[in-house]
Amino acid sequence: MRNGTLLKIEDLYVNFKTDEGIAKVIDGVSLDIKYGEVLALMGETGCGKSTVAKSILRLLPKNAEVRGKILFKGTNILDLPESELRKIRGKEIGMIFQDPLTALNPVFIVGNQISEMFKIHKLRIKRTILDEVIELLKNVRIPDPQRRYYSYPFELSGGMRQRAMIAMMLAGRPSLLIADEPTSALDVTIQAQILKLIMDLRNDYNMSILLITHDPGVVAEMADRIAIMYAGQIAEIGPVRDIFLNPQHPYTKGLLRALPLGHKEERELENIPGRVPNLIEPPPGCRFHPRCPHAIEKCKKEKPKPVVVSNEHFVFCHLLRGG
Ligand code: SF4
């Protein structure tokens, strides 16, 4: 497996122009993903996880204004002309969504949709495209792939559709797979199968994965590192074990206390008082300060910089530098 950084996001800002004003949805996010690594982005709904993911592939709507750098293998994706971007999107970087029905075209058979990937990206093939597609369907463990090639998306179960979507993404042998809540539309037993499949394929295809989720069980199962997001800012980032066992940021602590972390543990779930802020007028400084029980004056004025907790574990909180 190659060493080094595959993707580096530097100081990403995303604003959306809306009728009510400008929503400052991402506020200076920086993170990196190494070759072969699974990085999870976790946080409440609306914290900006999916916006970060869509920024990478420039899939944001027209009212989005994006600043910063997204370096993929050293090239800034945000500077690429559309023709160059198309060579990366779906080939070098694949994305799977929560509901594969939104990504699959309902009027074409699954096999043709996967075949398109070979044609669009002019992928090198050893056999016929039909054989390549059937091989991919086999790799994602779709039973009776010869028959399923000719199925329409509506003829497949949710789990099977997600497998077909993954097969489509694998055609280009991407270095990075972005999985945006890949199992939240599926029932629990199917979730486990899809997660296992993604992890097996990560090894077989030597991919890095950016996993967007709000499920700590999925993170514990799959990720090497985790970045906790709150209201468009990174609160804490580090190895999964360090964050789960030794969280430092008041929001991370609150979030972990508010989530069921396993059936062995018996405790009351807590909630974080207050509400997620309105991002048209976000709180200045640390965006968590109106809800933080430890906030000090500085928190209202200055955005916290990263503080090293231990190797690879960073927290963005003024408290950890003695106020
Ligand atoms: Fe709380 Fe201040 Fe730390 Fe933000 S920077 S989490 S408001 S103590």
Side-chain angles (χ1 to χ4, degrees):
M1 193 176 291
R2 245 176 102 170
N3 289 324
T5 303
L6 174 67
L7 182 89
K8 192 172 177 59
I9 299 180
E10 285 178 8
D11 236 4
L12 181 72
Y13 290 82
V14 181
N15 293 343
F16 288 95
K17 286 185 197 147
T18 72
D19 291 343
E20 287 74 39
I22 295 179
K24 293 132 198 124
V25 174
I26 301 295
D27 186 46
V29 162
S30 296
L31 48 85
D32 60 273
I33 303 176
K34 301 183 196 80
Y35 280 93
E37 181 182 47
V38 180
L39 176 76
L41 262 187
M42 192 170 117
E44 292 162 287
T45 304
C47 71
K49 315 179 287 283
S50 294
T51 303
V52 170
K54 287 181 182 150
S55 305
I56 297 172
L57 284 173
R58 297 198 355 216
L59 291 175
L60 293 173
K62 284 206 167 63
N63 64 337
E65 212 177 66
V66 184
R67 274 188 293 131
K69 282 187 185 166
I70 299 179
L71 300 164
F72 178 71
K73 297 183 177 173
T75 300
N76 187 3
I77 290 182
L78 298 181
D79 285 346
L80 287 178
E82 195 61 34
S83 56
E84 290 299 309
L85 178 67
R86 273 199 294 269
K87 292 181 192 161
I88 292 182
R89 195 192 274 153
K91 181 173 184 289
E92 297 247 22
I93 306 177
M95 186 159 182
I96 51 174
F97 300 89
Q98 190 177 115
D99 182 358
L101 254 195
T102 56
L104 291 167
N105 190 326
V107 298
F108 292 110
I109 56 170
V110 166
N112 278 359
Q113 297 189 52
I114 302 174
S115 303
E116 277 301 297
M117 297 296 287
F118 287 93
K119 294 174 195 160
I120 292 168
H121 294 297
K122 300 187 177 68
L123 301 176
R124 250 191 257 148
I125 49 174
K126 292 187 201 132
R127 318 157 257 215
T128 63
I129 291 184
L130 174 78
D131 289 341
E132 294 283 349
V133 173
I134 287 173
E135 186 66 28
L136 283 173
L137 293 175
K138 265 189 215 160
N139 289 353
V140 297
R141 330 241 201 288
I142 288 190
D144 201 358
Q146 282 83 356
R147 188 164 69 88
R148 287 305 179 195
Y149 180 101
Y150 297 98
S151 298
Y152 287 91
F154 74 86
E155 294 177 298
L156 303 177
S157 65
M160 208 76 94
R161 281 198 289 263
Q162 194 58 291
R163 285 171 195 271
M165 196 58 228
I166 295 171
M168 195 184 297
M169 287 304 111
L170 291 178
R173 300 194 77 88
S175 327
L176 176 65
L177 179 71
I178 301 174
D180 190 356
E181 307 268 9
T183 57
S184 45
L186 306 173
D187 67 42
V188 182
T189 47
I190 307 297
Q191 273 183 20
Q193 292 172 15
I194 295 288
L195 293 177
K196 180 165 184 327
L197 173 69
I198 294 174
M199 290 311 282
D200 290 349
L201 294 170
R202 170 219 184 175
N203 296 330
D204 297 349
Y205 284 74
N206 201 5
M207 291 183 296
S208 306
I209 298 176
L210 176 63
L211 175 71
I212 315 290
T213 183
H214 57 264
D215 184 339
V218 171
V219 173
E221 193 92 353
M222 293 181 69
D224 301 306
R225 281 188 307 139
I226 175 173
I228 306 284
M229 281 192 75
Y230 179 78
Q233 296 177 334
I234 300 278
E236 190 162 3
I237 183 164
V240 171
R241 200 180 153 80
D242 292 20
I243 303 269
F244 280 1
L245 297 181
N246 185 27
Q248 295 293 311
H249 195 283
Y251 175 66
T252 314
K253 290 180 187 176
L255 184 70
L256 295 179
R257 282 197 299 265
L259 295 168
L261 289 176
H263 57 277
K264 289 183 192 143
E265 194 185 13
E266 276 190 27
R267 65 181 167 91
E268 292 261 321
L269 296 183
E270 297 175 25
N271 64 7
I272 302 172
R275 293 164 147 220
V276 176
N278 175 353
L279 295 180
I280 291 176
E281 283 180 57
C286 171
R287 287 187 171 181
F288 188 55
H289 82 251
R291 301 173 77 183
C292 180
H294 310 289
I296 52 175
E297 267 315 298
K298 190 176 179 181
C299 307
K300 299 177 191 169
K301 296 180 193 135
E302 276 180 42
K303 207 164 114 180
K305 295 194 169 64
V307 178
V308 182
V309 180
S310 58
N311 187 26
E312 289 201 301
H313 182 180
F314 298 89
V315 62
F316 293 71
C317 175
H318 291 306
L319 280 192
L320 280 109
R321 48 180 72 211

